[in-house]
Structure formats: structure tokens, C-alpha cells
Amino acid sequence: MMRIRTIEETIAARYPEGEMRTPTHFSIGQEATAVGVCAALKTEDAVYSGHRCHAHYLAKGGNLLGMVAELFGREAGCARGRGGSVHLNDPGVGMIASSAIMGETIATAVGTAFAFAMDNRPHVSVTFFGDGCVEEGIFHESMNFAVMRKLPVLFVCENNLFSVHSPLYLRQPRDIPIYARAQSYGMLAQQVDGNNVEAVYEAAVKGINDIRKKGGPFFLECMTYRWREHVGPLFDTGQGYRTQKEIDHWMARCPIKQASETALSRGACTPDQIKLWKNEYQTEVEKTIQSVVGLPFPDTKGLLEGTYS
Ligand SMILES: Cc1ncc(C[n+]2csc(CCOP(=O)(O)OP(=O)(O)O)c2C)c(N)n1
């Protein structure tokens, strides 16, 4: 989590230089969901994500240079500099795809699970998506299909209470939590504190065990909060769609602060070690940025390569 936070905060700090010409959705504040779930996965398990994909990519083991080069639009990027921040992928470690089209990768993850089931492969397909996707038809079709075919899908809804500037309570029925809607499809489902990495990990392990033993999907709703603006590196307190009090409440429940306090109280690490790790991650990301800025942009002759006609 600390590595992801350090990488994202460094990218956010460098963003105003104007060299990263890609809309960028930061996961700052939401790291525990990505880390808790991905820690429960094997390399062969497939992960799909949406527009807010940095943390999922890094937690699944995605290559840092591939991500940074993608943000800087370089040919060495994981989407060859053509996809930007919302199209991170690293299939070699099971990070299959991310897409800014909301809900799209819910269906593709279900398709991958279908392929796993048809080929008798023992893997799980995971889809990370936001609470906004729950309002889309593709979400409901995918849930229904996964239940009917008993597919090995872990649906992970990162409920950060907002879709851009619209609060959840204005968009969805107040009295029916998202995980309860998943249960209505006959799916095993659980809500968890998405800022508590151990709780997320334990819930993901349980979900994956259920998927393997009972042969159907599992739904995890992780309650969390986005600290920065919807898209971009800034804080957006002045926008008027949420209060400073609410932001302060969630920042006090920072997943990294909570996990550090727990680790320190158990004697699992020392304050000096925490500082050292932070410095190591800082050095790693700065060196990576330095190595990327000298790399070539894609050649315009190849711009149509990789597109479908
Ligand atoms: C099909 C589709 N409709 C609308 C958009 C525009 N859009 C981009 S992000 C977003 C909100 C997403 O909210 P949520 O799914 O809760 O994820 P979060 O941004 O909170 O992580 C919207 C409406 C889109 N990218 N795709």
C-alpha cells in the first residue's frame, strides 16, 4: 500500500508539469481494496479494472516502468503509449486489461471465467469496478450469467460513495446495500471495511475458497473513499459536492496509517523500517520517471497498429 501511495503521490506532484498528457484517476485512499484482494490471488488468476486502475495494476504485480511510460505516452508503455492511465495491463502477471468504458471489464472478466470453466482451469477471474457501474445493464447481465453458469468470478465493488460528483444516496436505493443486490441473484456476497487491508484480504480468501469449493461467483463490496478529485491530481474540497468534515473523517481512517499502527503494535516492524521503505519506494519511482522521460514516443507510422477494424 505504501509503495502504491508513494508512486501515486509522486505522479500527482509531477502531473502539473504537463508531460503526462492522459486523464489520470488516482486511487489514493483506496489502496487497501486493491492490495487485500490481490494478495489473495495467484499470478494465473486474471484481474480486470476500470478507469481507476493504478492500484490494481501495481497490487497485481504490474511493471512500474510499463505504467510510468504509459502515463508519459512513451512506446515503452504497457499499452505502447497509446492508452494512457486508464488502459494499464500486464498480462504476464495476470493484469489482463483496464478500460475507461464503465462496466466493460465486468463482462470481459466474466468471459474469462467462462473460458477458465470450459477449459477446466482452476483460476479465478476478478473484476474491480466502482459503485457507479452498479447502475449499468452490463453489471446485471454479467451477474446473472455468472450465477447461471456457476462461473469462478470475484466481483469487487469499490464503493467510494461517489460517481464523479454524484453521491450514492441520490443514485441508488438507500435501504438496499449493493452487496444485498448481488445476493438477490443468488450469489454469495459480503460487505467489508475497504480501508482495512486485513479485513479485505480475509474476505477475499473466503470468497475465493467459496468460488473454488462451491463453483460459483462471489461478490465483495469494499467500503472506501477517494481522497482526490474524480480525475486529476488535486484535492477538490471547493467543488461543493462533499464536505471537508466528511473528507477528514475518511482521511483519519487512512488504510496505510491503520495498517502501520497495527504492524507496529504487533512488533512486526519498527518506525525506522517504515521510513526506510517509504524512501526506497520514493527512490524507485523517481528513478523510473527519470529513465522514462528520455524514451521515444510512438512512431506516428504505427499509430493504427493494435486497433481493430
Ligand atoms: C459507459 C460510461 N458512461 C459514463 C462514463 C463517464 N464516467 C467516467 S468515470 C464515471 C464515474 C464512475 O464512478 P464509479 O464507477 O463509482 O467509479 P469511481 O470513479 O468512483 O472510482 C463516469 C460517469 C464512462 N466512462 N463510461
Side-chain angles (χ1 to χ4, degrees):
M1 288 194 289
M2 197 186 286
R3 179 170 178 263
I4 295 170
R5 175 75 59 88
T6 308
I7 291 167
E8 282 210 299
E9 283 185 337
T10 308
I11 289 167
R14 300 281 301 257
Y15 197 81
E17 293 169 6
E19 291 296 322
M20 286 175 256
R21 293 180 206 165
T22 165
T24 303
H25 307 75
F26 291 87
S27 315
I28 295 170
Q30 303 189 187
E31 298 89 348
T33 300
V35 171
V37 170
C38 289
L41 301 177
K42 300 194 170 115
T43 304
E44 298 78 16
D45 294 325
V47 164
Y48 288 88
S49 179
H51 55 285
R52 202 172 300 289
C53 58
H54 297 177
H56 308 140
Y57 174 92
L58 292 168
K60 190 66 171 68
N63 179 274
L64 180 59
L65 189 131
M67 170 178 160
V68 172
E70 192 55 40
L71 266 62
F72 279 83
R74 300 313 206 261
E75 180 71 29
C78 58
R80 296 183 58 201
R82 291 149 167 85
S85 152
V86 295
H87 291 111
L88 300 186
N89 70 91
D90 192 346
V93 296
M95 179 69 209
I96 308 300
S98 318
S99 168
I101 309 301
M102 285 169 66
E104 186 182 40
T105 48
I106 300 179
T108 35
V110 170
T112 293
F114 196 19
F116 285 160
M118 285 168 75
D119 296 346
N120 260 329
R121 280 185 282 161
H123 314 314
V124 171
S125 182
V126 182
T127 172
F128 286 99
F129 54 92
D131 46 280
C133 294
V134 173
E135 290 141 45
E136 296 196 307
I138 198 167
F139 168 81
H140 296 278
E141 294 166 46
S142 303
M143 303 257 288
N144 185 62
F145 190 78
V147 168
M148 293 310 292
R149 297 283 180 151
K150 292 193 183 349
L151 299 181
V153 189
L154 181 64
F155 293 94
V156 184
C157 178
E158 279 181 296
N159 184 352
N160 65 11
L161 307 175
F162 289 93
S163 174
V164 191
H165 294 175
S166 305
L168 185 65
Y169 66 85
L170 289 181
R171 297 182 283 114
Q172 296 181 24
R174 270 182 199 237
D175 302 333
I176 312 169
I178 289 174
Y179 80 98
R181 276 171 258 164
Q183 283 172 332
S184 77
Y185 281 94
M187 196 180 303
L188 293 166
Q190 187 180 337
Q191 189 184 62
V192 68
D193 175 356
N195 278 15
N196 179 336
V197 72
E198 285 186 343
V200 174
Y201 172 73
E202 280 161 20
V205 168
K206 181 189 171 308
I208 291 163
N209 284 342
D210 279 347
I211 289 170
R212 294 214 160 100
K213 272 192 219 137
K214 298 176 187 163
F218 192 93
F219 191 99
L220 203 53
E221 178 184 6
C222 301
M223 303 306 296
T224 186
Y225 199 77
R226 152 173 69 75
W227 289 12
R228 306 253 174 156
E229 57 188 335
H230 166 67
V231 52
L234 306 175
F235 290 93
D236 63 359
T237 326
Q239 299 269 344
Y241 71 96
R242 52 185 185 170
T243 63
Q244 187 61 48
K245 196 174 160 207
E246 181 178 292
I247 298 169
D248 290 345
H249 166 79
W250 282 94
M251 287 179 87
R253 300 183 53 236
C254 169
I256 298 171
K257 182 171 163 275
Q258 290 190 68
S260 305
E261 284 168 4
T262 306
L264 289 168
S265 72
R266 289 179 188 158
C269 65
T270 64
D272 282 348
Q273 276 175 312
I274 291 180
K275 269 189 217 148
L276 192 76
W277 294 331
K278 167 111 185 117
N279 287 341
E280 278 174 13
Y281 301 141
Q282 191 69 54
T283 307
E284 180 194 13
V285 62
E286 275 167 12
K287 276 192 179 160
T288 307
I289 292 176
Q290 223 172 342
S291 69
V292 157
V293 289
L295 295 177
F297 288 104
D299 188 335
T300 50
K301 280 188 205 131
L303 274 185
L304 294 181
E305 282 168 17
T307 56
Y308 298 97
S309 57

